[in-house]
Amino acid sequence: QVQLVESGGGLVQAGGSLRLSCAASGRIFSNYIMGWFRQAPGKEREFVAATSWSDGSTYVVNSMKGRFTISRDNAKNTVYLEMNSLKPEDTAVYYCAAKTANLVTYNYWGQGTQVTVSS
């Protein structure tokens, strides 16, 4: 089992920055992929970014490239999502998730952290 706990959300003005953290515990294996998703009110959950636990390779969806950065600290078992130049449309609950590299879907999820961007 893997436990994921997000933190770092909050209220920020448009143009501001936040760094979300995802602390992982339990049976974390080097072949895990760690991802960030978000879900805005009335919308479906959408994928934001992912990183490989083993080699640190990263991927950020095109619409958020240049503003969002994903990284991980293996020593702390923590994954980060750095968000800059935030916009009101970034308002959502942000979730951390984990899966093994051979799976299509993520099978471990955190409880989410609220990010609200005011205009």
Side-chain angles (χ1 to χ4, degrees):
Q1 283 288 351
V2 174
Q3 294 80 40
L4 304 172
V5 179
E6 303 96 333
S7 61
L11 174 64
V12 63
Q13 287 189 334
S17 299
L18 282 174
R19 188 178 78 159
L20 306 182
S21 299
C22 172
S25 60
R27 301 184 68 185
I28 305 294
F29 297 107
S30 61
N31 65 336
Y32 269 47
I33 303 296
M34 306 297 295
W36 283 99
F37 292 75
R38 70 184 186 182
Q39 187 166 20
K43 295 188 177 181
E44 292 189 355
R45 185 171 59 198
E46 65 173 333
F47 171 74
V48 174
T51 184
S52 167
W53 211 229
S54 60
D55 63 10
S57 57
T58 62
Y59 176 81
V60 178
V61 296
N62 286 339
S63 60
M64 300 171 209
K65 278 183 180 177
R67 296 194 302 123
F68 289 12
T69 303
I70 186 171
S71 61
R72 94 268 192 258
D73 184 333
N74 285 21
K76 295 182 178 179
N77 276 359
T78 299
V79 177
Y80 303 98
L81 183 69
E82 185 79 32
M83 305 184 294
N84 299 310
S85 302
L86 283 163
K87 306 174 183 179
E89 50 263 43
D90 294 318
T91 295
V93 178
Y94 284 71
Y95 297 92
C96 178
K99 70 178 183 77
T100 53
N102 62 321
L103 294 180
V104 174
T105 58
Y106 288 78
N107 49 341
Y108 297 105
W109 293 86
Q111 82 288 350
T113 185
Q114 176 71 47
V115 171
T116 303
V117 184
S118 63
S119 56

